């Protein structure tokens, strides 16, 4: 049942008697609960926030609406992990309801200073006429996990030239002090990113707009992130309002990046190359990065999209986060690989080898609903070749290579319960073979798949909602032959984490 505005903007303590318990009962009966992805206990999860390493642990917050599966009053929910594999649910990190976040704690980031973790976020407020007033706020987390919000925002105003779509601060430290970027919309309804500087995280100076060549590139840029990698500057953001262009930009909203020269003040111009998508699947948005203690740049995204109905909405919960990814830069492109720590999840291993001649073979020794799979496929004249997984009597999800087009394609047209059909059932992108070889590393969970192509050159993330009996794996080749070498690992998990 859809909630009205008044119901959506209640605090958790304003829930009706038995309302939370009813959601919990729905969740307990859901056949699509994930086994090794971060997901909400109940309610709706969206953007990852405050991704950081502090006090010997990774801390990862996410947007959370606890009273339903629509977007309403947002909290920050807190999780932590010592190894990027086993995550602990720690409860509410930041609660809304103050003067400057009366209608939600919106997205933001975290940084350590003076032995504390500073959480910078957008406070969402609304007037009686439902006019949005955004404030950039600060909260401080102590070593024991206690979080205290500052009484007043650290950035009060939206500068002239920008609308009230002004949110999602991402903060970092440089030699000369602190910087943050904020996603914004100009008054001509085009998207951009603005830059602030601060000596102490409390007093912020508006430096101006970050100069890019993308002056009319969607109507809003959400969840920006800036970092430097291998001597280059990298700007991540999620533009809204891009029209599809062939294989590009097929989702309702996109997420991608620019690479260029490192950002230096007072010059705010960012000299960059073309905008590239981060993920070519159906369900990926609002990614955020942090730096690991060993210097690696790590990324986590929301495996979902705004304004899309998902099958679990009727089960009292919605969405999950992606697995952590390691980022490297090669020839101006970000390469994304599963965080190396994820090998700790690997359980029993099964290997299979097959040469397929214009046909398909069901691999009895492989399959399941939760696993990691690594396939090396050598093309030998096949026009199409690939893997069908979560195969059942009437269901299958397919990842395949189209040799003539030089593309990898993910097809969820028969994946089970359908969703977002208005945006199509296939996703594809260009991908070359290496010595006629295609490599696919797949993480399959109860209701999702993440596919890393050719050692992270391309990634596809998707939610899928098959029946529990759909567990099979088939290998196939059309119009010729292909040789498959496949390794599958069971993924060890301990129920809800």
């Amino acid at each position: 049942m859809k909630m009205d505005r008044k119901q959506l903007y209640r605090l958790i303590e304003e829930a009706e008697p038995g309302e939370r318990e009813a959601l919990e009962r729905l969740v307990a009966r859901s056949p699509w609960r994930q086994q090794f992805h971060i997901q909400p206990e109940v309610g709706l999860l969206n953007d990852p926030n405050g991704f950081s390493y502090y006090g010997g642990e990774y801390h990862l917050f996410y947007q959370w609406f606890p009273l339903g599966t629509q977007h309403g009053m947002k909290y920050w929910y807190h999780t932590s992990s010592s190894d990027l594999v086993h995550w602990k649910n720690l409860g509410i990190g930041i609660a809304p309801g103050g003067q400057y976040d009366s209608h939600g704690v919106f997205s933001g980031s975290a940084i350590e200073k003076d032995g504390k973790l500073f959480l910078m976020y957008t406070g969402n407020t609304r007037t009686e006429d439902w006019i949005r007033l955004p404030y950039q706020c600060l909260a401080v987390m102590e070593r024991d996990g206690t979080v205290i919000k500052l009484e007043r925002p650290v950035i009060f105003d939206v500068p002239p030239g920008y609308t009230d779509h002004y949110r999602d601060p991402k903060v970092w430290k440089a030699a000369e002090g602190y910087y943050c970027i904020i996603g914004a919309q100009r008054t001509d309804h085009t998207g951009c990113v603005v830059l602030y500087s601060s000596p102490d995280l409390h007093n912020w100076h508006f430096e101006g707009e970050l100069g890019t060549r993308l002056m009319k590139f969607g109507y809003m840029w959400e969840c920006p992130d800036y970092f430097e990698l291998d001597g280059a500057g990298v700007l991540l953001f999620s533009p809204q309002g891009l029209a599809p262009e062939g294989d590009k930009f097929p989702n309702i909203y996109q997420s991608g990046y620019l690479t260029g020269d490192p950002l230096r003040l007072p010059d705010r111009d960012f000299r960059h190359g073309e905008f590239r998508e981060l993920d070519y699947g159906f369900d990926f948005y609002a990614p955020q990065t942090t730096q690991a203690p060993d210097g690696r740049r790590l990324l986590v995204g929301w495996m979902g999209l705004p304004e899309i109905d998902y099958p679990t909405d009727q089960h009292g919960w919605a969405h999950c986060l992606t697995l952590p990814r390691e980022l490297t830069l090669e020839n101006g492109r970000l390469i994304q690989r599963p965080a190396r720590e994820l090998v700790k999840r690997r359980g029993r291993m099964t290997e299979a080898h097959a040469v397929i001649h214009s046909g398909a073979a069901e691999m009895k020794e492989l399959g399941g609903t939760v696993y990691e799979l690594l396939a090396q496929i050598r093309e030998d004249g096949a026009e199409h070749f690939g893997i069908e997984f979560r195969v059942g009597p009437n269901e299958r999800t397919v990842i395949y290579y189209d040799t003539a087009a030089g593309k990898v394609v993910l097809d969820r047209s028969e994946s089970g319960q359908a969703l977002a059909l208005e945006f199509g059932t296939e996703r594809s992108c260009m991908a070359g073979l290496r010595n006629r070889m295609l490599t696919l590393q797949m993480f399959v969970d109860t209701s999702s798949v993440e596919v890393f192509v050719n050692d992270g050159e391309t990634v596809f993330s998707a939610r899928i909602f098959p029946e529990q009996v759909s567990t099979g794996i088939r290998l196939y080749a059309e119009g010729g032959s292909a040789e498959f070498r496949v390794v599958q690992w069971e993924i060890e998990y301990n129920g809800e984490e």
Side-chain angles (χ1 to χ4, degrees):
M1 183 179 67
K2 295 289 186 181
M3 295 183 180
D4 61 24
R5 182 184 293 173
K6 184 177 180 181
Q7 291 173 308
L8 286 171
Y9 286 90
R10 293 173 295 158
L11 296 170
I12 196 168
E13 54 266 28
E14 296 174 319
E16 297 291 333
E19 187 174 359
R20 289 291 307 282
E21 292 78 8
L23 281 176
E24 291 169 359
R25 288 193 295 272
L26 280 174
V27 171
R29 295 194 298 268
S30 175
W32 291 313
R33 290 292 283 175
Q34 300 277 65
Q35 300 299 335
F36 61 93
H37 284 81
I38 293 173
Q39 63 190 341
E41 294 175 316
V42 298
L44 177 139
L45 165 156
N46 57 302
D47 305 0
N49 293 158
F51 192 18
S52 53
Y53 187 83
Y54 168 71
E57 287 191 304
Y58 292 95
H59 294 268
L60 182 55
F61 302 80
Y62 58 77
Q63 295 287 284
W64 183 48
F65 176 53
L67 299 180
T69 54
Q70 296 171 249
H71 290 270
M73 181 76 84
K74 295 295 176 64
Y75 290 68
W76 276 26
Y77 192 94
H78 186 189
T79 67
S80 72
S81 173
S82 61
D83 61 3
L84 293 173
V85 176
H86 304 94
W87 292 88
K88 297 178 290 187
N89 286 329
L90 300 177
I92 294 170
I94 307 178
Q99 181 178 355
Y100 300 105
D101 56 17
S102 60
H103 288 69
V105 179
F106 275 13
S107 289
S109 55
I111 190 168
E112 183 176 357
K113 179 178 180 289
D114 300 331
K116 302 176 181 180
L117 192 65
F118 284 71
L119 310 172
M120 190 172 180
Y121 66 94
T122 298
N124 181 44
T125 69
R126 295 280 190 167
T127 67
E128 290 184 0
D129 297 325
W130 207 245
I131 296 170
R132 180 189 292 105
L133 299 174
Y135 299 96
Q136 312 311 317
C137 302
L138 202 62
V140 181
M141 189 175 87
E142 303 284 351
R143 292 278 179 177
D144 64 1
T146 302
V147 178
I148 298 176
K149 295 192 292 187
L150 271 64
E151 291 185 2
R152 295 172 61 79
V154 293
I155 300 175
F156 263 91
D157 301 318
V158 174
Y162 303 95
T163 74
D164 57 4
H165 289 286
Y166 200 82
R167 53 183 175 267
D168 313 334
K170 179 62 191 292
V171 62
W172 73 94
K173 190 177 189 304
E176 59 271 31
Y178 297 91
Y179 293 103
C180 84
I181 50 176
I182 294 173
Q185 182 187 67
R186 304 183 189 100
T187 51
D188 67 357
H189 293 164
T190 57
C192 63
V193 165
V194 297
L195 178 70
Y196 286 78
S197 64
S198 172
D200 56 8
L201 298 179
H202 293 270
N203 300 284
W204 290 93
H205 172 69
F206 179 63
E207 297 287 348
E209 191 172 311
L210 201 66
T212 72
R213 299 199 307 270
L214 305 177
M215 295 304 293
K216 293 185 178 180
F217 194 70
Y219 59 77
M220 173 63 189
W221 293 6
E222 291 196 309
C223 301
D225 192 341
Y226 176 82
F227 54 90
E228 293 177 7
L229 192 61
D230 299 332
V234 183
L235 177 66
L236 273 57
F237 60 99
S238 295
Q240 298 182 325
L242 302 185
E245 299 178 16
D247 291 338
K248 299 196 304 185
F249 316 144
N251 295 328
I252 185 172
Y253 302 128
Q254 322 305 322
S255 294
Y257 64 95
L258 306 171
T259 62
D261 297 334
L263 184 62
R264 296 288 181 265
L265 287 178
D267 180 9
R268 299 188 311 279
D269 288 335
F270 184 53
R271 301 170 185 86
H272 59 82
E274 67 176 296
F275 178 84
R276 302 181 191 275
E277 290 178 85
L278 273 161
D279 192 293
Y280 287 86
F282 298 87
D283 304 284
F284 182 89
Y285 196 67
Q288 188 169 103
T289 74
T290 194
Q291 191 168 36
D294 60 8
R296 287 176 295 157
R297 178 61 53 171
L298 302 171
L299 175 146
V300 170
W302 168 23
M303 210 188 314
L305 282 165
E307 300 170 39
I308 299 291
D309 293 329
Y310 285 79
T312 62
D313 291 353
Q314 307 306 312
H315 298 171
W317 70 285
H319 308 305
C320 63
L321 299 182
T322 68
L323 296 173
R325 305 172 182 179
E326 298 182 15
L327 303 183
T328 55
L329 195 63
E330 296 180 12
N331 300 318
R333 290 178 176 267
L334 283 178
I335 305 299
Q336 302 173 74
R337 299 182 175 97
R340 62 194 65 175
E341 289 86 347
L342 295 174
V343 299
K344 297 176 184 177
R345 283 282 197 199
R346 289 175 176 173
R348 185 173 66 89
M349 183 180 74
T350 304
E351 297 182 86
H353 173 250
V355 177
I356 310 295
H357 305 279
S358 295
E362 186 169 355
M363 308 306 290
K364 299 290 188 181
E365 63 269 49
L366 305 177
T369 60
V370 178
Y371 54 84
E372 178 188 350
L373 185 144
L374 179 62
Q376 293 181 312
I377 313 171
R378 181 176 294 277
E379 177 268 328
D380 188 13
E383 297 173 357
H384 285 186
F385 58 88
I387 301 174
E388 300 177 356
F389 58 100
R390 296 304 307 271
V391 176
N394 302 297
E395 296 177 342
R396 61 177 183 162
T397 302
V398 189
I399 182 81
Y400 70 91
Y401 191 77
D402 182 330
T403 305
K407 293 180 180 180
V408 175
V409 182
L410 178 63
D411 179 352
R412 71 172 182 189
S413 59
E414 299 176 58
S415 291
Q417 189 158 331
L419 69 154
L421 293 177
E422 64 270 34
F423 298 101
T425 58
E426 287 190 355
R427 295 291 182 269
S428 59
C429 76
M430 302 298 295
L433 300 181
R434 300 176 178 180
N435 298 319
R436 295 166 46 203
M437 186 79 75
L438 178 73
T439 301
L440 302 174
Q441 186 175 11
M442 301 164 51
F443 291 83
V444 177
D445 207 341
T446 310
S447 56
S448 70
V449 62
E450 294 175 72
V451 184
F452 296 81
V453 180
N454 289 342
D455 197 27
E457 286 185 356
T458 300
V459 188
F460 293 83
S461 298
R463 299 300 303 280
I464 56 175
F465 299 94
E467 298 288 337
Q468 291 173 303
V469 297
S470 298
T471 62
I473 289 179
R474 282 197 295 255
L475 312 178
Y476 82 94
E478 296 178 356
S481 301
E483 181 182 11
F484 296 77
R485 295 188 183 276
V486 181
V487 181
Q488 181 182 8
W489 292 271
E490 294 180 355
I491 290 184
E492 297 179 345
Y493 54 90
N494 300 306
E496 297 293 330
E497 294 183 350

